[in-house]
Amino acid sequence: SIGRNVLVDGAITTVGSGYSLIGHGGNGTINGGDITFTDVLGNITVQGADTSGGGANGFAQIGHLTIFGETVSGDITMNARGNIVVTGGTAGVTGDARIGHGGPAVGTVTSSSMTLIANGNIAMTSQAGAGQAIISNLSTSAADSLQLVVDNANPIAPAFGAATFSINSGSDLTMPNSAGEVRIYTVQPSQNTVGTTINGDVFVPTPVDVDDDNNQYGVYFPGGTFVGGAAFRVYYKTGTAVPVPNPAETILEFEEGSFYKLAVALSELQDRLPLFRYMRLANYPWHHASFCGGKGACDPGFDPYQSFIFEDNVYWIGEISSEVL
């Protein structure tokens, strides 16, 4: 758990074979174990050498390093409240930036599932003729997977934000050694920039709500189906699974426990209110949610008691008295 940013920078030294690594170090012996970023409050950045620094090997990596063909294993899990950024260095071809096990000699990865979750963006940028941006799962087990998730600050439908997924030409997003699933959770096609193949296959986005082997709409992490034999699948929050607002009003139904916390716990308002904020579109300025409890099922007629009203302020109307939160 990190209270600020994580920076793995290949340009930390100007002598010898300098590199920056989180993981076991390619010494021909034991290389294994999980690497877990439980909660990073800022960004996770992996940066290949972009100056004359880094010596002969100015690479940066989160994963176990294979130099002598080692056999390695271990899951890689990241949760960043900011962005996840992988950028190849400009100093030379050794300035790669990698998330995943591997290295100069590929070796054997017997098992490894990788899940990279960002509240913000995920960006991969390679440099032409220089360092490559790599997110790669070399596991030989078909039971393993590679998952990338953007915009996890809005994990529940229908909320979504402006987070982007981008990968440029020359970058490597692959799981080449097995039939494991490659899943990429995004917001909508217009917020993705894909300038290269994904897992060796060309990415062609479909029109909104048109699913195919590589695209599925109306899906929030960790949902969605996967088509057997597909190289990858991109999931979009926008689509048929997102409720379409009525121009007059939008009804949001809550379970009793969740709604009660929203009504009485001021400390939780900052976490709950973004859901409503993202729905306050110009065409749908009024949003109401009835309280699912007390009298039973939610009442779309909005009885003035036991109801929650969100306009310019937040109000909780009780059965006896009203008070402004």
Side-chain angles (χ1 to χ4, degrees):
S1 295
I2 306 295
R4 294 188 180 179
N5 300 315
V6 172
L7 171 61
V8 185
D9 189 350
I12 60 172
T13 180
T14 58
V15 296
S17 296
Y19 58 85
S20 188
L21 173 72
I22 295 177
H24 289 302
N27 57 6
T29 57
I30 297 173
N31 295 277
D34 298 340
I35 300 173
T36 305
F37 293 81
T38 304
D39 187 14
V40 175
L41 295 185
N43 304 320
I44 297 176
T45 302
V46 184
Q47 170 71 61
D50 56 4
T51 67
S52 59
N57 292 294
F59 67 87
Q61 180 172 343
I62 298 176
H64 302 320
L65 176 62
T66 58
I67 294 179
F68 304 106
E70 294 87 350
T71 297
V72 303
S73 64
D75 296 342
I76 298 177
T77 305
M78 297 184 178
N79 284 279
R81 299 197 194 185
N83 306 316
I84 296 177
V85 179
V86 183
T87 305
T90 59
V93 294
T94 62
D96 291 343
R98 178 192 299 268
I99 299 177
H101 308 313
V106 172
T108 300
V109 181
T110 57
S111 64
S112 178
S113 279
M114 294 174 53
T115 301
L116 281 55
I117 301 174
N119 279 11
N121 311 324
I122 293 181
M124 299 177 63
T125 305
S126 291
Q127 309 296 335
Q132 188 177 25
I134 303 168
I135 297 178
S136 181
N137 187 352
L138 300 176
S139 173
T140 58
S141 172
D144 292 332
S145 62
L146 172 58
Q147 300 186 103
L148 278 63
V149 183
V150 306
D151 194 49
N152 200 53
N154 303 284
I156 302 174
F160 60 90
T164 61
F165 168 72
S166 61
I167 174 173
N168 77 336
S169 176
S171 296
D172 180 10
L173 177 58
T174 55
M175 189 173 180
N177 291 340
S178 75
E181 297 180 358
V182 177
R183 294 173 170 240
I184 305 168
Y185 291 85
T186 69
V187 179
Q188 56 187 342
S190 63
Q191 291 172 221
N192 299 337
T193 302
V194 179
T196 187
T197 59
I198 299 176
N199 206 22
D201 200 358
V202 176
F203 171 59
V204 180
T206 58
V208 173
D209 288 341
V210 178
D211 295 348
D212 66 5
D213 287 1
N214 298 130
N215 300 266
Q216 186 174 6
Y217 287 85
V219 174
Y220 283 63
F221 175 77
T225 59
F226 195 88
V227 178
F232 64 89
R233 202 166 208 196
V234 178
Y235 303 89
Y236 310 99
K237 290 180 175 178
T238 56
T240 54
V242 178
V244 178
N246 182 300
E249 62 185 10
T250 297
I251 301 173
L252 302 177
E253 297 182 350
F254 295 82
E255 295 179 359
E256 181 174 358
S258 173
F259 190 84
Y260 178 75
K261 290 181 180 180
L262 176 65
V264 302
L266 295 178
S267 63
E268 295 186 3
L269 284 177
Q270 62 180 350
D271 297 324
R272 306 278 182 168
L273 288 181
L275 171 64
F276 297 97
R277 186 177 301 116
Y278 279 111
M279 291 193 65
R280 284 179 58 79
L281 308 178
N283 293 333
Y284 315 118
W286 315 118
H287 299 277
H288 305 273
S290 79
F291 178 67
C292 301
K295 298 180 180 179
C298 293
D299 180 6
F302 295 109
D303 185 285
Y305 298 105
Q306 292 204 23
S307 64
F308 172 76
I309 301 175
F310 179 84
E311 295 178 348
D312 292 329
N313 296 296
V314 180
Y315 300 93
W316 169 246
I317 303 177
E319 289 201 13
I320 299 176
S321 62
S322 301
E323 59 181 288
V324 179
L325 290 180

